[in-house]
Structures are given as structure tokens and as C-alpha cells.
């Protein structure tokens, strides 16, 4: 039976750096044969109205709890720049390759940009799908939240949540703003929808304070890989952080 070695974060980083120095970039030869990208759809939700609600909450308290969520939501992304960037993504090596230079977003960079006030290296475990709506009900106190679900029950309609946002105040308003940014910016699915996947990440953050940065980066890499290989669909990841 094989033995699985256990490494600390520091040991893993040192081993990774050593492999890079001794083995090189390991760039796959077939990466250059990928056809050029002609079209790319970035999921860019309308969040300007959402961030205006931030004027009516305690900004210092919101920052202490949620970091730079609002500032990230306000970043204006130039889609042509993202389309150009994706051309350089190598799906085998999982990094951007510019001739002899390789670049990839890191947890430390995303952690600095988001400034979530908790441990960057805690492990995130997604919530079971049947637990998401009951947990949201406890946090948001919205009656008949099930009626906000899309027909395929994979997400919540943001336009209906936004109506509730107008009625909320205090901590419930702050939580609904945070849920909106989680669903429309950090983990976007389709335009105007807060996916249950994003809602699960939000609930996990509220209940356990687990930093979602690792999940954001994982989602970004999966989205880049999928689009670079299939050449269709949309970039379902946080393009604001990728753009920065």
C-alpha cells in the first residue's frame, strides 16, 4: 500500500521551487498547436446598483468582516484585455506563458487584494446542496426564499434578491450585499444569477470564516483550462481579480 507524504505549506513551497529549478518549466509541446481564440464571453454582471447600497452600511465594520469585496466589485474590466490574456494560457502547465516567463495568480496575491480577515490556508469544503437554502434563510431572513430559485434550481434570481435588499437594514443588508458580490463577482455563473455554488461559498464564509481565496483561484484555473480547450462558453470566474 502506497504511503502518502504529508508536507507543510512551507515544505511544499520549497519542494515546488526545487522542482522548477531542476526540471524546468515542463511546457507541453502541443500547447503551441492550440487554435487562436476568436471569441470570448466574460460574465460581467451589472453590479453598479449593488455597490450603491454600500453607502447605507457601516463601511468600517463591513471591511473588517468582508475585506475589499466592494472595491473588487467596482473594478471595471476591459474584456478585450482578458481575451488577449487567455491566448497565453497553457492548459497543460496551467499558467500564462510569455516566451521564457511563466505567470500564474497565487493565493498570496489574491489574499492581499481581497484582504479577507481570516486564515488564508484553511481548507474550504463546499456545503451540501440541500443545506444551502436553509442556511441562507437563517442568515438573510427572507421568507419563501425557495421561490427565488431559477427553473433549473441551480441558482437564485438576483433581481428578486435586490428587491429584498431595498427593504433590509443593518447586518442583514450587509449580508445580502456580500452574497451579491460572492454570486455576481467572485463566483459568477450566468448573468443576473447567484449560483448555489456561490451561495455555498458565502454560507461557509459566514458560518466558519474560511477564506474563499483558494476556491476563487481554483475556479479561475478551471475556467481558463475549460475555455482554452473547448473555445466555447463563457469565462465563469472572477475576471476582476484576474484583470488586476
Amino acid at each position: 500500500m502506497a504511503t502518502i507524504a504529508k508536507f507543510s505549506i512551507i515544505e511544499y513551497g520549497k519542494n515546488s521551487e526545487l522542482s522548477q529549478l531542476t526540471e524546468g518549466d515542463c511546457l507541453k509541446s502541443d500547447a503551441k498547436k492550440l487554435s487562436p481564440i476568436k471569441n470570448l464571453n466574460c460574465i460581467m454582471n451589472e453590479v453598479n446598483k449593488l455597490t450603491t447600497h454600500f453607502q447605507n452600511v457601516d463601511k468600517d465594520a463591513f471591511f473588517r468582516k468582508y475585506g475589499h469585496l466592494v472595491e473588487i466589485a467596482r473594478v471595471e474590466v476591459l474584456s478585450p484585455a482578458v481575451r488577449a490574456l487567455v491566448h497565453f494560457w497553457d492548459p497543460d502547465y496551467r499558467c500564462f506563458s510569455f516566451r521564457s516567463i511563466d505567470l500564474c495568480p497565487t493565493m498570496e496575491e489574491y489574499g492581499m487584494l481581497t484582504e479577507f480577515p481570516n486564515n488564508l490556508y484553511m481548507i474550504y469544503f463546499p456545503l451540501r446542496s440541500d443545506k444551502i437554502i436553509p442556511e441562507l434563510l437563517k442568515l438573510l431572513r427572507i421568507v419563501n426564499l425557495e421561490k427565488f430559485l431559477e427553473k433549473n434550481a441551480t441558482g437564485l434570481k438576483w433581481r428578486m434578491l435586490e428587491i429584498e435588499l431595498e427593504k433590509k437594514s443593518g447586518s442583514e443588508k450587509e449580508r445580502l450585499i456580500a452574497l451579491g458580490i460572492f454570486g455576481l463577482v467572485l463566483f459568477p455563473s450566468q448573468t443576473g444569477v447567484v449560483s448555489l455554488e456561490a451561495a455555498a461559498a458565502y454560507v461557509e464564509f459566514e458560518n466558519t470564516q474560511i477564506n474563499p481565496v483558494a476556491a476563487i483561484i481554483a475556479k479561475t484555473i478551471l475556467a481558463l483550462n475549460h475555455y482554452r480547450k473547448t473555445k466555447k462558453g463563457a469565462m465563469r470566474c472572477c475576471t476582476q481579480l484576474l484583470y488586476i
Side-chain angles (χ1 to χ4, degrees):
M1 184 174 181
T3 302
I4 300 175
K6 294 183 178 180
F7 297 103
S8 68
I9 293 295
I10 296 175
E11 289 172 335
Y12 181 84
K14 288 181 178 178
N15 287 340
S16 179
E17 289 181 12
L18 181 61
S19 297
Q20 171 76 10
L21 291 171
T22 56
E23 299 177 18
D25 292 341
C26 305
L27 192 63
K28 301 292 185 181
S29 59
D30 59 353
K32 297 178 181 178
K33 298 179 181 178
L34 292 169
S35 57
I37 294 173
K38 297 180 179 179
N39 188 29
L40 174 66
N41 177 23
C42 296
I43 300 293
M44 297 300 297
N45 286 286
E46 178 58 55
V47 295
N48 291 334
K49 188 176 179 182
L50 169 61
T51 56
T52 59
H53 291 285
F54 186 62
Q55 299 172 1
N56 302 319
V57 302
D58 186 330
K59 296 177 178 58
D60 291 333
F62 192 92
F63 170 76
R64 286 194 298 270
K65 185 173 183 181
Y66 300 108
H68 288 306
L69 278 191
V70 174
E71 287 78 5
I72 293 167
R74 286 174 174 162
V75 172
E76 294 185 11
V77 176
L78 296 177
S79 295
V82 177
R83 281 195 290 270
L85 182 63
V86 175
H87 276 283
F88 297 94
W89 181 257
D90 176 6
D92 293 307
Y93 191 45
R94 297 184 181 181
C95 71
F96 296 103
S97 293
F98 305 95
R99 293 184 180 272
S100 61
I101 299 174
D102 300 324
L103 296 174
C104 189
T106 67
M107 287 180 62
E108 289 76 14
E109 289 169 337
Y110 272 32
M112 180 186 69
L113 291 170
T114 55
E115 281 201 35
F116 283 108
N118 43 43
N119 190 334
L120 189 63
Y121 299 106
M122 291 177 67
I123 298 174
Y124 165 73
F125 293 101
L127 199 66
R128 276 176 40 186
S129 58
D130 60 328
K131 298 285 186 181
I132 297 171
I133 296 298
E135 289 296 325
L136 281 177
L137 283 169
K138 296 176 187 177
L139 291 167
L140 305 177
R141 299 184 185 278
I142 296 177
V143 180
N144 296 325
L145 188 60
E146 296 86 354
K147 294 182 179 180
F148 291 31
L149 286 168
E150 287 279 292
K151 289 182 180 179
N152 55 11
T154 59
L156 297 161
K157 299 174 184 175
W158 175 247
R159 58 183 177 80
M160 297 182 70
L161 289 171
E162 200 166 35
I163 294 173
E164 293 295 322
L165 185 56
E166 299 280 355
K167 307 174 186 176
K168 297 293 183 180
S169 61
S171 61
E172 290 179 8
K173 191 178 191 74
E174 292 176 2
R175 289 171 184 166
L176 199 43
I177 290 173
L179 172 63
I181 297 176
F182 263 75
L184 303 181
V185 179
L186 299 185
F187 301 97
S189 56
Q190 52 183 308
T191 304
V193 174
V194 175
S195 69
L196 292 185
E197 178 187 42
Y202 164 75
V203 169
E204 190 73 13
F205 177 79
E206 287 283 359
N207 289 344
T208 66
Q209 292 298 289
I210 287 182
N211 197 312
V213 163
I216 295 170
I217 288 184
K219 183 75 172 177
T220 301
I221 291 175
L222 287 170
L224 286 165
N225 263 27
H226 174 77
Y227 195 87
R228 195 71 176 93
K229 288 183 175 181
T230 63
K231 306 293 187 300
K232 61 182 180 180
M235 282 287 292
R236 301 180 187 275
C237 66
C238 184
T239 50
Q240 284 83 350
L241 285 172
L242 184 62
Y243 181 70
I244 295 172

